[in-house]
Amino acid sequence: MNRPGSAAPWLREDEERAWRAFRRMMIAVQSGTVRDLGETGLSAPDYEVLSTLVERRETTSTLHAQATKMGWSRSRLSRHASRMEERGLIRRAPDPDDGRGCLLILTGLGRDALREATPVHLTSVRSRFADRLDERDLEDLIRIAEKLAGGSGHA
């Protein structure tokens, strides 16, 4: 069945129920973890930038690699990085391999902020997500997430 004026087929009842359940789940988990993380003074994007940088050799990443990891445009990340730099969480430096690019470098203050926020974030993820699922749920969710992410292994 198509919507009037549209070539796109309507969702079947089970597809629509699944889509709405997926959206409600994402909103509930994400808004809860974002709210909990906010109590630490970090936003979810702040936390993502910092936690990704701490995993990198010399806690440094190119703006391009960071934007790709986060699924953001370079300009969006650049604006966010400017705000993080103003707060002393990261610093930027010229990229010696790309004259137009820059490096994002984790500062001591950024490392301290991440160290303080991580237990809060983990507690939130555990209570709002992991503790509510059994082993089979987790396996099913991984399988579904990888399928929806295109099988790339990045869910």
Side-chain angles (χ1 to χ4, degrees):
M1 175 192 286
N2 290 342
R3 171 179 282 162
S6 170
W10 285 70
L11 296 176
R12 296 187 321 255
E13 184 178 337
D14 62 334
E15 291 171 331
E16 185 169 348
R17 279 189 14 249
W19 172 246
R20 290 180 186 276
F22 171 77
R23 296 273 303 145
R24 282 191 301 273
M25 173 194 69
M26 289 294 298
I27 291 166
V29 172
Q30 192 169 37
S31 64
T33 57
V34 165
R35 187 172 45 253
D36 294 342
L37 188 59
E39 294 173 10
T40 70
L42 294 179
S43 67
D46 291 342
Y47 189 84
E48 180 70 17
V49 170
L50 296 176
S51 64
T52 304
L53 283 176
V54 81
E55 295 171 354
R56 306 285 297 204
R57 188 171 63 92
E58 299 181 23
T59 61
T60 301
S61 178
T62 65
L63 180 74
H64 175 73
Q66 197 74 24
T68 300
K69 167 76 174 158
M70 294 177 68
W72 284 19
S73 69
R74 286 192 291 190
S75 62
R76 180 178 178 194
L77 180 55
S78 181
R79 288 189 301 275
H80 190 80
S82 293
R83 291 188 295 274
M84 290 180 74
E85 189 173 28
E86 288 172 8
R87 293 165 45 213
L89 300 172
I90 63 170
R91 67 180 179 84
R92 293 200 265 189
D95 182 349
D97 298 327
D98 179 0
R100 297 181 305 148
C102 75
L103 299 175
L104 302 179
I105 304 164
L106 183 66
T107 63
L109 185 61
R111 186 182 299 274
D112 291 345
L114 181 62
R115 190 177 297 121
E116 290 177 24
T118 296
V120 172
H121 180 65
L122 292 174
T123 298
S124 181
V125 170
R126 179 157 296 291
S127 69
R128 296 177 184 282
F129 178 77
D131 287 348
R132 296 178 183 201
L133 304 172
D134 63 29
E135 188 174 323
R136 183 173 176 172
D137 293 334
L138 293 170
E139 290 170 6
D140 287 344
L141 188 55
I142 291 166
R143 179 183 52 76
I144 292 166
E146 287 177 350
K147 184 184 284 189
L148 292 178
S152 66
H154 296 88

